[in-house]
């Protein structure tokens, strides 16, 4: 079933909808002794591995967690996501791995879900029968399979829009584009003055996928989500048209020169934060630049705007930032669950929000403890887009299809595949999966 997020007042009134319990599905069975640990003082050592957050932020999480669980020692290993994913797969296949780890929703969640401990019994022991009502139902569902909760959501973000440096545009005498023709004209005017138009990390599959999804959701959202869920085909006319629109973006020069070979971090990020690009293709998690790069961006008037496409701008897609899970092979599942819950909806989630300035996954209204003044306007604009433009989730469910889609989009951008060929490659991957 297609997931349509309904987050009417996210960021000001929080995720208001609540859901019932997620069932106690037993995908391998929960350890009764470990569940009992949730209500008893936790002890022992647990290990956390992920690509996020930074070590400095996680140290703050550990310090806060230790105040509530003084007899638990938490060790950690953080690595770039590609290295982390390879290491995690190797460890889990060997029957080991960290006690607590993080996955992205969709493809990565499905890739590793066989190694995840079902958490419903732990959650009920810790929070009672109504524990699931603490979450927005759409957010919680991203870690659930067949009524079993295999992971707890962490943070929420959206993608498919543009960051715009209004200061740079004003200095160049260029208006914020409202239509696609406006965007092409703006790109030409900016390039003539030596300013990059949209800074894009074109070699990052996740990044190009976000913008293809925005285009496809504008052209034919039903066909897009049918293909994502396996009930439709990637060769549907609307999705081929979206590949054509993706190709046209490069033909029309709306991205910086060399975008196909650029990384989001830090090639495109540096262009934008240093005022060398007027726009940046990235998601709402880029709000963390006001925590990490305030010295660069604090003097600019920066906002978030819909991608200029279609009649009034493209839709956006959204998803939880991560799903924190307990390793089925862990020997200290009770303490591991406590850390997962602390990160998801405990005080640790506030530490993460204060770092990333993202949005809550809980039913309770939450805001960053201190929002830098320059971040207020773009965050408010993102909230408005969530209210008005959210098409559905952003993570492709199938690992095989996700990989094929990213590769196909890079090939189209590089001119080595036509839109028809790209759509066919993704459909072939879907059929093989």
């Amino acid at each position: 079933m297609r997931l349509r997020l309904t987050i009417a007042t996210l960021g000001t009134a929080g995720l208001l909808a609540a859901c019932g319990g997620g069932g106690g599905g037993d995908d391998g069975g929960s350890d009764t002794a470990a569940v009992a640990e949730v209500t008893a003082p936790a002890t022992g050592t647990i290990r956390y591995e992920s690509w996020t957050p930074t070590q400095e932020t996680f140290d703050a999480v550990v310090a806060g967690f230790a105040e509530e669980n003084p007899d638990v020692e938490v060790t950690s290993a953080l690595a770039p996501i590609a290295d982390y994913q390879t290491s995690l797969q190797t460890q889990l296949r060997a029957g080991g791995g960290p006690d607590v780890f993080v996955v992205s929703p969709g493809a990565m969640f499905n890739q590793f879900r066989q190694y995840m401990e079902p958490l419903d019994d732990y959650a009920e022991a810790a929070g009672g029968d109504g524990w699931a009502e603490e979450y927005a139902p759409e957010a919680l569902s991203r870690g659930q399979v067949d009524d079993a909760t295999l992971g707890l959501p962490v943070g929420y973000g959206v993608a498919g829009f543009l960051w715009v440096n209004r200061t740079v545009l004003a200095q160049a005498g260029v208006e914020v584009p409202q239509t696609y023709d406006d965007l092409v004209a703006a790109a030409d005017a900016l390039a003539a003055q030596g300013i990059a138009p949209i800074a894009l990390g074109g070699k990052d599959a996740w990044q190009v996928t976000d913008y293809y999804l925005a285009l496809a959701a504008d052209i034919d959202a039903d066909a897009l989500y049918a293909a994502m869920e396996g009930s439709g085909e990637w060769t549907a006319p609307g999705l081929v048209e979206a590949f054509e629109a993706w190709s046209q973006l490069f033909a029309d020069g709306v991205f910086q020169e060399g975008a196909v070979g650029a990384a989001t971090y830090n090639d495109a990020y540096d262009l934008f934060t240093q005022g060398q690009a007027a726009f940046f293709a990235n998601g709402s998690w880029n709000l963390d630049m006001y925590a990490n790069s305030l010295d660069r961006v604090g003097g600019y008037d920066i906002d978030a705007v819909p991608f200029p496409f279609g009649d009034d701008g493209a839709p956006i897609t959204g998803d939880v930032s991560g799903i924190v899970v307990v390793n089925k092979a862990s020997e200290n599942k009770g303490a591991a669950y406590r850390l997962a819950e602390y990160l998801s909806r405990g005080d640790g989630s506030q530490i993460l929000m204060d770092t990333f300035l993202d949005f809550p996954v809980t039913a309770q209204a939450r805001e960053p403890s201190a929002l830098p003044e320059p971040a207020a306007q773009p965050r408010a604009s993102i909230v408005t887009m969530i209210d008005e433009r959210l098409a559905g989730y952003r993570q492709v469910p199938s690992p095989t299809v996700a990989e094929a889609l990213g590769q196909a989009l890079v090939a189209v951008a590089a001119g080595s595949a036509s839109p028809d060929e790209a759509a066919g490659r993704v459909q072939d991957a879907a059929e093989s999966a």
Side-chain angles (χ1 to χ4, degrees):
M1 181 178 69
R2 177 179 174 188
L3 174 63
R4 286 187 180 273
L5 300 177
T6 53
I7 306 173
T9 52
L10 183 68
T12 54
L15 297 171
L16 298 179
C19 68
D26 190 334
D27 186 11
S30 296
D31 186 332
T32 302
V35 172
E37 280 188 51
V38 174
T39 55
T43 60
T45 299
I46 53 174
R47 184 168 180 79
Y48 170 93
E49 292 191 15
S50 179
W51 74 96
T52 183
T54 64
Q55 189 64 59
E56 179 181 6
T57 299
F58 191 69
D59 287 345
V61 168
V62 171
F65 182 74
E67 293 180 5
E68 299 180 12
N69 303 274
D71 296 324
V72 178
E73 180 184 357
V74 180
T75 63
S76 64
L78 301 169
I81 188 167
D83 297 338
Y84 161 69
Q85 196 162 346
T86 299
S87 173
L88 182 64
Q89 180 171 278
T90 300
Q91 294 180 75
L92 294 176
R93 283 181 174 177
D99 300 275
V100 181
F101 59 93
V102 180
V103 296
S104 296
M108 191 177 180
F109 172 79
N110 288 322
Q111 177 184 358
F112 291 112
R113 75 185 194 191
Q114 63 182 303
Y115 303 107
M116 300 175 187
E117 175 76 3
L119 300 180
D120 297 276
D121 292 341
Y122 296 84
E124 185 174 343
D129 292 341
W131 69 270
E133 295 176 7
E134 299 293 324
Y135 288 95
E138 298 91 349
L140 185 61
S141 74
R142 299 300 277 153
Q144 294 178 320
V145 176
D146 296 332
D147 294 327
T149 303
L150 301 183
L152 300 178
V154 178
Y156 181 82
V158 293
F161 60 90
L162 291 179
W163 292 88
V164 54
N165 189 326
R166 294 181 183 273
T167 304
V168 169
L169 283 185
Q171 291 171 349
V174 176
E175 298 288 333
V176 177
Q178 303 297 314
T179 67
Y180 184 71
D181 287 343
D182 291 343
L183 175 62
V184 175
D188 289 342
L190 290 165
Q193 299 180 56
I195 302 168
I198 301 174
L200 173 77
K203 77 174 185 180
D204 294 332
W206 62 270
Q207 183 68 287
V208 298
T209 296
D210 277 337
Y211 287 88
Y212 173 81
L213 295 183
L215 301 176
D218 186 82
I219 294 168
D220 192 340
D222 290 336
L224 171 65
Y225 281 94
M228 293 255 275
E229 293 160 10
S231 60
E233 297 189 349
W234 289 93
T235 51
L239 302 190
V240 175
E241 184 180 343
F243 277 109
E244 292 170 349
W246 174 248
S247 177
Q248 193 65 42
L249 294 174
F250 290 87
D252 289 338
V254 303
F255 300 121
Q256 86 274 22
E257 186 175 350
V260 174
T264 304
Y265 300 103
N266 284 319
D267 298 330
Y269 181 85
D270 285 348
L271 279 176
F272 185 71
T273 58
Q274 293 172 4
Q276 298 173 26
F279 304 93
F280 184 26
N282 205 8
S284 61
W285 47 89
N286 192 57
L287 281 163
D288 71 355
M289 69 182 173
Y290 292 105
N292 301 327
S293 301
L294 187 59
D295 57 331
R296 295 190 194 179
V297 301
Y300 292 125
D301 178 10
I302 292 175
D303 205 350
V305 298
F307 194 97
F309 185 78
D311 293 335
D312 63 347
I316 61 173
T317 57
D319 226 322
V320 298
S321 302
I323 299 170
V324 60
V325 306
V326 174
N327 188 348
K328 189 177 286 188
S330 171
E331 296 183 356
N332 195 354
K333 294 172 184 172
Y337 173 80
R338 289 191 182 205
L339 178 59
E341 184 183 63
Y342 185 78
L343 287 164
S344 177
R345 66 182 181 91
D347 289 346
S349 66
Q350 187 67 50
I351 295 172
L352 297 179
M353 178 178 286
D354 290 345
T355 298
F356 298 113
L357 306 180
D358 58 5
F359 304 96
V361 297
T362 56
Q364 178 187 8
R366 287 190 176 181
E367 294 284 340
S369 300
L371 186 66
E373 192 279 330
Q377 179 56 54
R379 198 171 192 274
S381 295
I382 292 169
V383 169
T384 298
M385 284 190 280
I386 291 171
D387 290 347
E388 299 176 354
R389 295 178 177 272
L390 194 59
Y393 59 79
R394 65 174 282 263
Q395 297 284 5
V396 179
S398 164
T400 302
V401 173
E403 181 178 8
L405 178 58
Q407 292 175 347
L409 289 167
V410 171
V412 169
S416 61
S418 71
D420 282 319
E421 290 170 338
R425 292 178 188 179
V426 182
Q427 181 58 30
D428 288 344
E431 292 173 2
S432 71

